[in-house]
Amino acid sequence: MKVGTLGHAVLGLLTAGSLTGYDLTTTFDRSLGNVWSASHSQIYPELAKLQSAGLIEQTGTGPRGSKLYTTTEAGKSELHRWLGGAVPHETLRSEHMLRVFFLWMVEPADAVAYLRREADRHRDALTRYERAIPYVPLDGHPSERWARIVLEAGLRFDRSMAEWADWAAAEIERDES
Amino acid sequence: MKVGTLGHAVLGLLTAGSLTGYDLTTTFDRSLGNVWSASHSQIYPELAKLQSAGLIEQTGTGPRGSKLYTTTEAGKSELHRWLGGAVPHETLRSEHMLRVFFLWMVEPADAVAYLRREADRHRDALTRYERAIPYVPLDGHPSERWARIVLEAGLRFDRSMAEWADWAAAEIERDES
DNA sequence: TGACTCATGTAAGAAGTTACATGATTCT
DNA sequence: AGAATCATGTAACTTCTTACATGAGTCA
């Protein structure tokens, strides 16, 4: 059976502790959503698939008939195989950048306005990350430390993109004046 | 008819000049591939779809029966509608970051090795971008200037991710010693 | 009691990847 | 002549999004 990225994400989360499909959904919406997301309509079928492949098992029942799942030994071994495997090169895929590529077709003033909005958006994200930092200390549990390292990547990403958008807007404005 | 991101990418490229499906494929493989890519098996059906919707038209024939397409007025108007429209928030989606999120499960030495490889990979990408810069001057044609602005985003992205990976590796190593 | 959150599913369709398939031209 | 590149398509499958559908528990 072939396990995809979503499958590995689920295996990883269920290895740290038993969770329901609903718990997974909210995790993908919040913290983990910054790097990988999935909706409940993807998660429930994935849980069924992983269970029938013997990589996870139902280990209990929660509040209102909710089902708690945990990674099996086979699941952990699959997870570690993935964690140790080769990383295919990841190509950035951004609709925003695609639009920027075509911005020479619009009025320079509109292009600049677009870039300024982009900068603002990245600064907003930056603020959210900064507010989250106190809750994810670098010197806490290993899982927390790594969550913080991922958060730091998001933070640096948004900071550098905000700077880029400001630089680009200034570059276009300089040229128009 | 609903036009997706691929459709807008095609409309944009065909607005700058007539191209064949093959030309589009190579463009998505090279320059534009840094922000948006598509394989020929996606492109040919998309061309058929855009043509039957009247957004592009075949305006000539190339070397060996290849077909040259150009954006129609309706296509240009759809393109401009997209360029001026609202930008839905873009959530970063990275299998690498997902793996980092779970790196507390592997030996610290392996985790550090992973991060160092990541840093190298980003530095390689950085070198490629830097080599491309002379061919895309900031003071050239508008379309070139914007291509350079997009290139600059890629460059800053890879630079900041290389720095991040080095920082994270050092952070883990510091803690282990 | 009515709204909201918790909780789990299915269905239809769009988007993307990989593999299959074919033929013309150019270069060595 | 054979290999590489140019050139265009189709088929099968996986992944992801949006919408449909339902029911239990909680709180004002």
Side-chain angles (χ1 to χ4, degrees):
Chain A
M1 184 237 183
K2 207 225 147 201
V3 180
T5 307
L6 173 61
H8 291 124
V10 170
L11 287 175
L13 292 172
L14 295 182
T15 298
S18 297
L19 296 170
T20 67
Y22 190 85
D23 296 333
L24 290 169
T25 305
T26 56
T27 302
F28 279 115
D29 271 351
R30 302 179 209 282
S31 56
L32 197 54
N34 290 317
V35 291
W36 200 267
S37 66
S39 58
H40 78 276
S41 64
Q42 245 190 308
I43 290 167
Y44 291 112
E46 185 71 25
L47 286 170
K49 201 179 119 193
L50 292 171
Q51 189 178 28
S52 74
L55 302 177
I56 63 173
E57 58 184 350
Q58 194 187 328
T59 49
T61 308
R64 53 216 82 168
S66 62
K67 304 169 184 175
L68 284 158
Y69 293 95
T70 312
T71 308
T72 62
E73 285 308 312
K76 282 180 195 165
S77 113
E78 168 59 30
L79 180 62
H80 280 88
R81 199 194 54 72
W82 174 65
L83 284 172
V87 200
H89 178 64
E90 205 157 80
T91 151
L92 180 70
R93 196 176 176 75
S94 165
E95 184 172 352
H96 289 302
M97 284 301 161
L98 181 68
R99 286 165 69 131
V100 172
F101 192 83
F102 294 125
L103 278 188
W104 57 274
M105 296 180 184
V106 309
E107 291 298 318
D110 292 338
V112 167
Y114 180 91
L115 290 167
R116 296 288 185 203
R117 275 201 307 278
E118 270 290 275
D120 284 342
R121 193 199 295 274
H122 285 296
R123 270 187 293 266
D124 287 347
L126 199 52
T127 307
R128 280 197 304 279
Y129 281 129
E130 277 161 355
R131 271 204 283 263
I133 283 185
Y135 302 99
V136 197
L138 252 179
D139 56 1
H141 288 274
S143 70
E144 260 180 352
R145 172 159 57 236
W146 285 98
R148 165 60 199 277
I149 285 170
V150 170
L151 193 153
E152 179 79 18
L155 195 142
R156 288 174 184 231
F157 169 75
D158 280 300
R159 184 185 293 139
S160 89
M161 286 303 103
E163 284 166 5
W164 163 81
D166 280 333
W167 166 83
E171 198 61 41
I172 298 301
E173 271 175 339
R174 186 179 60 76
D175 207 72
E176 292 305 311
S177 57
Chain B
M1 184 237 183
K2 206 222 147 205
V3 180
T5 306
L6 173 61
H8 291 124
V10 170
L11 287 176
L13 291 172
L14 295 182
T15 297
S18 298
L19 295 170
T20 68
Y22 190 85
D23 295 333
L24 290 169
T25 305
T26 57
T27 302
F28 279 115
D29 272 351
R30 302 181 209 282
S31 55
L32 197 53
N34 290 318
V35 291
W36 201 267
S37 66
S39 58
H40 78 276
S41 64
Q42 247 190 306
I43 290 167
Y44 291 111
E46 185 70 27
L47 286 169
K49 201 179 118 194
L50 292 172
Q51 189 178 28
S52 73
L55 302 177
I56 62 171
E57 57 183 351
Q58 194 187 330
T59 48
T61 309
R64 55 216 82 172
S66 63
K67 303 168 184 174
L68 285 159
Y69 294 94
T70 311
T71 309
T72 62
E73 284 310 311
K76 281 180 194 165
S77 113
E78 169 57 32
L79 180 63
H80 280 87
R81 199 195 55 72
W82 173 65
L83 284 172
V87 199
H89 177 65
E90 205 157 81
T91 152
L92 181 71
R93 194 177 176 75
S94 163
E95 184 172 351
H96 289 302
M97 284 300 161
L98 181 68
R99 286 165 70 131
V100 172
F101 192 84
F102 295 125
L103 279 188
W104 57 273
M105 297 180 184
V106 308
E107 291 299 318
D110 291 339
V112 167
Y114 180 90
L115 290 167
R116 296 289 185 201
R117 274 201 308 278
E118 271 289 276
D120 285 342
R121 194 200 294 276
H122 285 296
R123 269 187 293 268
D124 287 348
L126 199 53
T127 307
R128 279 197 305 278
Y129 281 128
E130 279 162 354
R131 272 204 284 263
I133 283 185
Y135 302 99
V136 197
L138 252 180
D139 55 0
H141 287 274
S143 70
E144 260 180 350
R145 172 160 56 235
W146 285 98
R148 165 59 198 279
I149 286 170
V150 170
L151 192 153
E152 179 79 18
L155 194 143
R156 288 173 184 232
F157 168 75
D158 280 300
R159 184 185 292 140
S160 89
M161 286 304 103
E163 284 167 6
W164 163 82
D166 281 333
W167 165 83
E171 199 61 41
I172 298 302
E173 271 176 341
R174 187 179 60 75
D175 207 72
E176 292 306 312
S177 59

